[in-house]
Amino acid sequence: MSTGPSAAAGSTAAALRHVLSHLVTPLLMCVGMGLAYLGAFHAPEPHDLRVDVVGSGPSTQVLAQTLQDKGDGALSVRTVPDRATAADHLRTQESYGAYLPGRSPELLVATASSDTSATVVQKVFTEVAAGQGAPLKVTDTVPTADGDPTGQGIFFLLVAVSIGSYASVAVIGGAGAVLALRIRAGLAVAASFVVSVIGAVFAGPLFGLVDHGLGGLWAMAWLYSAGILLIGVGLHTFLKRWTTLGVMVLFVMLNFTSSGGIFRPELQPGFFGALHSFWNGAGFVEGVRSHVYFGGHALGRNVLVLALWFVAGLVVTALAGLAERRRRDAAPATGVASAAGGRRPAAVEEAGAQAGAGTGAQGGPEEQARSEAVSSSTEVSNEASVEEEMEETVGV
């Protein structure tokens, strides 16, 4: 009787240690998300934002130099000879605004490239035109689809596809732990197909984020999603319960903030601008923009980025397969896991041995019931372990 309170206190302490150890993951996620999102978005400031001034006379040169000097590194101002050249630069995303000075000044922008960059450019040249005593006419040379007036719908599509992808990693890595890696990899590819189809439905018939090029958008969504899923499934072999944090760092914290969906790299700190050049979220966002709005300019480069991340997923999955094979080969026969792939608790092992011995010796109903209870206990333990790992991976 005296052992009751002591056992209860020990059980409570063990449960508390278990909870506290698992709180490490959400706390690290909190720190990481704060550093990433606030670091990338809290104070957008332009740096080397390319704009053109149209004209070739001395007054044009003076205006361009004045803007360059006054901007103190915020703008990269160049002169172009005519309107057609300026419009071509906007269509190829070589600039984000073109100012035509004169009695009726005009500003050319391309909101499909970045609505926030166009807004910054418009603010700068509205002040310039006001200094010349004239209202500014703004012409959008590459507008977005009617269903995406802010031009940020592609970014939120990225968020949806990303969440569908890395959450699927939780299910495949947790509930699918009993399956061979080749089956898990196949499930990853299949899940990426479903996620990409859902994304295409969102972008096209449901919300009208794009008014053409839906097939190409779906293909890039599948390539993007498959890369995430294969990398996540492969990493799960090595990270286990830390897979949550790993995929969130890769595909949320660093990914969303460097994608250019809200602010282009010219409005962000240099770290995120550097990631923009090769991260998979940027490849998807810029690839869709290029495909839908800019006639495929630089599309090949963005597709290459997505393809390389897909190849990285294949490599990580292959390495995971080698690691799992070595573990199986190294494990002694007595230490091989049950269906879930883990060792049974010592108490269950001992109880199983006793039940087996009793069954072999007597074979009575009591021994059979004990054996069934041990088997049930093992299954419950395995299921609980898998469920806990799934919750860890999802981030619940």
Side-chain angles (χ1 to χ4, degrees), residues 53 58-72 75 77-79:
V53 176
S59 60
T60 302
Q61 296 291 338
V62 170
L63 176 59
Q65 189 61 51
T66 301
L67 289 171
Q68 181 73 42
D69 296 340
K70 186 178 179 180
D72 193 25
L75 302 177
V77 187
R78 305 180 190 179
T79 60

Side-chain angles (χ1 to χ4, degrees), residues 177-178 240 335-345 349 378 381-382 385-386:
V178 298
K240 298 299 183 183
V336 175
S338 62
R343 287 187 59 86
R344 293 187 297 177
E349 295 270 3
T378 303
S381 176
N382 288 333
S385 176
V386 169

Side-chain angles (χ1 to χ4, degrees), residues 185-274:
L187 288 172
V189 174
S192 67
F193 175 80
V194 176
V195 168
S196 63
V197 169
I198 293 173
V201 171
F202 285 160
L206 191 56
F207 293 110
L209 302 180
V210 300
D211 51 18
H212 65 280
L214 191 59
L217 181 147
W218 165 79
M220 283 183 276
W222 174 80
L223 197 57
Y224 171 76
S225 177
I228 292 177
L229 270 152
L230 289 172
I231 290 174
V233 168
L235 286 178
H236 188 270
T237 297
F238 305 101
L239 301 181
K240 298 299 183 183
R241 58 176 287 234
W242 297 104
T243 305
T244 304
L245 193 58
V247 297
M248 289 202 72
V249 169
L250 290 173
F251 305 121
V252 176
M253 298 176 191
L254 299 179
N255 190 27
F256 295 170
T257 52
S258 65
S259 67
I262 302 296
F263 299 113
R264 286 192 56 82
E266 294 84 5
L267 298 179
Q268 293 186 289
F271 172 74
F272 298 98

Side-chain angles (χ1 to χ4, degrees), residues 41-244:
F41 297 147
H42 85 288
E45 291 289 341
H47 54 87
D48 296 320
L49 184 64
R50 168 70 190 274
V51 294
D52 293 335
V53 176
V54 180
S56 56
S59 60
T60 302
Q61 296 291 338
V62 170
L63 176 59
Q65 189 61 51
T66 301
L67 289 171
Q68 181 73 42
D69 296 340
K70 186 178 179 180
D72 193 25
L75 302 177
S76 175
V77 187
R78 305 180 190 179
T79 60
V80 295
D82 51 48
R83 180 192 178 98
T85 302
D88 184 64
H89 285 176
L90 290 168
R91 284 192 294 269
T92 57
Q93 296 181 285
E94 293 182 42
S95 74
Y96 300 97
Y99 181 68
L100 288 77
R103 292 183 178 179
S104 300
E106 182 181 10
L107 176 66
L108 307 181
V109 295
T111 55
S113 178
S114 172
D115 183 70
T116 52
S117 295
T119 299
V120 170
V121 171
Q122 184 173 342
K123 180 179 179 180
V124 169
F125 285 103
T126 297
E127 294 179 0
V128 173
Q132 297 174 346
L136 180 65
K137 175 185 177 183
V138 179
T139 301
D140 191 352
T141 61
V142 189
T144 57
D146 292 339
D148 187 18
T150 66
Q152 296 177 3
I154 295 174
F155 170 76
F156 293 110
L157 176 64
L158 169 77
V159 172
V161 173
S162 301
I163 291 176
S165 300
Y166 76 72
S168 296
V169 170
V171 177
I172 296 172
V178 298
L179 300 173
L181 184 61
R182 66 179 182 277
I183 298 178
R184 280 177 276 153
L187 288 172
V189 174
S192 67
F193 175 80
V194 176
V195 168
S196 63
V197 169
I198 293 173
V201 171
F202 285 160
L206 191 56
F207 293 110
L209 302 180
V210 300
D211 51 18
H212 65 280
L214 191 59
L217 181 147
W218 165 79
M220 283 183 276
W222 174 80
L223 197 57
Y224 171 76
S225 177
I228 292 177
L229 270 152
L230 289 172
I231 290 174
V233 168
L235 286 178
H236 188 270
T237 297
F238 305 101
L239 301 181
K240 298 299 183 183
R241 58 176 287 234
W242 297 104
T243 305
T244 304

